[in-house]
Amino acid sequence: MILELDCGNSFIKWRVLSGAEVVLVAEGVVDSDLALCESLCKLSGLSLRSCRMVSVRTAAETSALIDMLERDFGVSVICAKPAREMSGVRNGYEDYERLGLDRWLAMLGAFHLANGPCLVLDFGTAVTADFIAIDGDHLGGFICPGMPLMRNQLRTHTRKIRYDDVAAERALTSQAPGRSTVEAVERGCSLMLRGFVLTQLEMARSYWGEGFTVFITGGDADLVAGVAPGARFVPDLVFVGLAVACPLS
Ligand SMILES: Nc1ncnc2c1ncn2[C@@H]1O[C@H](COP(=O)(O)OP(=O)(O)O)[C@@H](O)[C@H]1O
Ligand SMILES: CC(C)(COP(=O)(O)O)[C@@H](O)C(=O)NCCC(=O)O
Ligand SMILES: [K+]
């Protein structure tokens, strides 16, 4: 069995795959190393042969997690590393090591699946967009606050915006102008994301006409559903890229 981990700024996405056919055994989203450990311990018949991971956390946090996995599960951990070029994609950053590894893997996954120009949109703690041309050249990208950051900035920097998660979820069942604070904020922020998608699509069209593939991923991908009709929703895009970057012999 193989354990795969995508350690973002807010959550660790994990999954266990098994056998040559690569069957999904289990998967989950957790908010701490401890919660990951608990989820894995609950799996009956878990027998890990290897583990591969990507992390955008600090080196100290990442090595603490690696230590825990090696100690508690007796597995050696392979970490995705920055690269100037891999699998036909050329990192477009001036300083290639500074490009977020989750972005890099999502790009590798997208180019692997599309084999042509692509726009990759990731809706996590931050929202990112990346442009990859037909020859695999990464043209660069954009980073802006994601849904959790936008709503928390409003909650933190105003005095009268206060509401709970249940109300937030209920507010997002419609896009109509809000008639309460929670509706106004949640729908306003969700429109920011939707507007972002439209702008990125416009830019991609200016480069490539209609001949490109849009990939949408990240925990909040649902918020932009329907904005880009031909887009491919690939929740595990980072894992697709992880398999490309860290093949297991
Ligand atoms: N099972 C889940 N657990 C936690 N958050 C989830 C889950 N499913 C979707 N989300 C959404 O995913 C968002 C975080 O996206 P994610 O891609 O995991 O971020 P990051 O990679 O930055 O940690 C949260 O704002 C939340 O709304
Ligand atoms: C842009 C990000 C914060 C996105 O992280 P996420 O929302 O997936 O947790 C991450 O890819 C990162 O830390 N990147 C380094 C900076 C850069 O890509 O330029
Ligand atoms: K992410």
Side-chain angles (χ1 to χ4, degrees), residues 95-132:
D95 185 351
Y96 74 95
E97 292 178 304
R98 299 215 171 252
L99 176 72
L101 279 169
D102 54 349
R103 294 172 64 192
W104 176 238
L105 294 189
M107 289 197 294
L108 294 181
F111 197 70
H112 174 80
L113 295 175
N115 205 12
C118 23
L119 167 61
V120 182
L121 302 171
D122 188 329
F123 296 85
T125 310
V127 169
T128 60
D130 283 288
F131 293 77
I132 305 128

Side-chain angles (χ1 to χ4, degrees), residues 43-63:
L43 296 176
S44 59
L46 182 72
S47 131
L48 294 177
R49 177 167 61 83
S50 51
C51 170
R52 57 187 168 203
M53 74 147 87
V54 57
S55 171
V56 293
R57 301 182 170 192
T58 62
E61 288 170 298
T62 305
S63 59

Side-chain angles (χ1 to χ4, degrees), residues 7-75:
C7 308
N9 280 288
S10 305
F11 296 101
I12 300 173
K13 278 67 68 183
W14 64 269
R15 68 182 192 182
V16 175
L17 306 172
S18 166
E21 319 275 274
V22 196
V23 184
L24 179 69
V25 175
E27 63 182 336
V29 181
V30 290
D31 62 2
S32 67
D33 293 5
L34 186 65
L36 172 65
C37 188
E38 285 168 0
S39 297
L40 294 176
C41 287
K42 274 189 216 138
L43 296 176
S44 59
L46 182 72
S47 131
L48 294 177
R49 177 167 61 83
S50 51
C51 170
R52 57 187 168 203
M53 74 147 87
V54 57
S55 171
V56 293
R57 301 182 170 192
T58 62
E61 288 170 298
T62 305
S63 59
L65 175 56
I66 293 173
D67 289 348
M68 180 204 83
L69 292 165
E70 296 192 334
R71 187 187 60 232
D72 295 357
F73 298 92
V75 71

